[in-house]
Amino acid sequence: MTNEKKNIQNATSGTAIGLQSSIESRILNLRDKQVMLDRDLAELYGVETRVLNQAVKRNINRFPEDFMFQLTREECLNIYTLTDSQNNVQSSRSQIVTMKTERGKNIKYLPYAFTEQGVAMLSGILRSNTAIEINIRIMRAFVAMRRFLLANVQVFQRIETLEMRQIATDNKLNQVLSKLDDGTATKIEGIFYEGEVFSARAFIEDLIKSAQREIILIDAYVDATILNLLTLRAPDVAASVYTGQIKPALQKAHTLHNQQYPVVPIRLQTYSSNFHDRFLIIDDAVYHVGASLKDLGKRLFAFTRMEIDKSIITAQI
């Protein structure tokens, strides 16, 4: 083979590869289907878009909804936004949107999208040699795209999982930032130093006031100051205190409390010997507290909100 023939063959091969790549880049995913738009198909076939659509309308019984459908305005705008963000996409697709938008564009008409079956049906109504050749290449492009998706399904699933996790993280972050803005954020861990009696007590008081259903305190050393703290809870919030030993002074204070507040009594009883640490449960939130609540701020102590189910703690009482 002469060099000239090789050059012609290479040029032809390069053109074919470029055309195939161009076809694949025009395949969109809309309504969970792989489709091509009428304008892109018309450009590939070498005809005007209106000519292609007129031919389809003359044979509309061959194009049910799973073969062809018309885009909504929102879908058009989404495609416009996507293609506008990619500077090297086909100009034909960037011309889809001509409806009044923020960018001053207008949509003249809502284009049609053809599924793989719809494109195959086009070969029956567009009988030119160019149309037949292009249709073969389009069918191959659809097959190649389908194989690519199947071969990378796990990758796409992982990406989707990561995106969902990112969305969840963003939502949590927005909630935290929102609470920080309105001053209702609750600390999940921290340290109070010796002498910070006021700050430590204010923190525990805020936790008690935040309870909506119940408060459970597990603390080996409880006195009447704990009962005073619990009076800060909302009227319909249940309160239970579990301690190592109920001394007479505590029992008397408990009796007086429940006589004064018979509608919202505090449950007081001893717990099993399983506990060494102190826990404060506010609804479903479990806090590990390093100091007895009656000694808040007298010496350095830490607290941590634990990401566990409260039943892990309450089952041991």
Side-chain angles (χ1 to χ4, degrees), residues 59-76:
N59 299 271
I60 196 63
N61 59 320
R62 298 189 182 188
F63 294 91
E65 189 173 348
D66 56 330
F67 281 33
M68 178 191 76
F69 58 85
Q70 192 169 26
L71 272 63
T72 64
R73 291 173 180 252
E74 184 179 357
E75 287 169 336
C76 288

Side-chain angles (χ1 to χ4, degrees), residues 161-176:
T161 300
L162 289 173
E163 288 177 345
M164 294 303 294
R165 287 179 181 173
Q166 184 62 48
I167 291 171
T169 300
D170 290 345
N171 289 338
K172 288 181 180 178
L173 180 59
N174 288 336
Q175 290 174 6
V176 171

Side-chain angles (χ1 to χ4, degrees), residues 210-272:
S210 71
Q212 298 181 2
R213 299 189 307 278
E214 68 171 347
I215 298 172
I216 300 175
L217 173 64
I218 302 169
D219 189 338
Y221 305 103
V222 174
D223 63 13
T225 60
I226 303 303
L227 305 182
N228 291 334
L229 275 173
L230 291 175
T231 59
L232 300 174
R233 73 192 191 279
D236 56 345
V237 173
S240 301
V241 177
Y242 299 90
T243 187
Q245 181 182 3
I246 302 176
K247 294 182 178 181
L250 176 60
Q251 184 64 67
K252 182 177 180 180
H254 176 249
T255 301
L256 291 173
H257 173 280
N258 286 355
Q259 286 176 350
Q260 184 171 343
Y261 303 103
V263 179
V264 285
I266 294 176
R267 181 182 182 185
L268 175 66
Q269 68 182 68
T270 57
Y271 56 64
S272 67

Side-chain angles (χ1 to χ4, degrees), residues 140-159:
R140 288 174 177 166
F142 271 107
V143 171
M145 186 67 70
R146 191 159 53 249
R147 286 176 179 169
F148 172 79
L149 293 174
L150 289 173
N152 293 276
V153 64
Q154 291 184 340
V155 175
F156 293 130
Q157 288 174 346
R158 289 175 184 172
I159 292 174

Side-chain angles (χ1 to χ4, degrees), residues 25-51:
S25 68
R26 296 169 190 252
I27 297 177
L28 303 175
N29 190 7
L30 288 175
R31 305 183 192 179
D32 294 326
K33 301 177 186 292
Q34 291 181 348
V35 300
M36 292 187 70
L37 300 181
D38 53 6
R39 189 180 296 272
D40 288 334
L41 288 166
E43 183 179 336
L44 291 169
Y45 292 141
V47 299
E48 294 183 22
T49 306
R50 64 178 182 82
V51 173

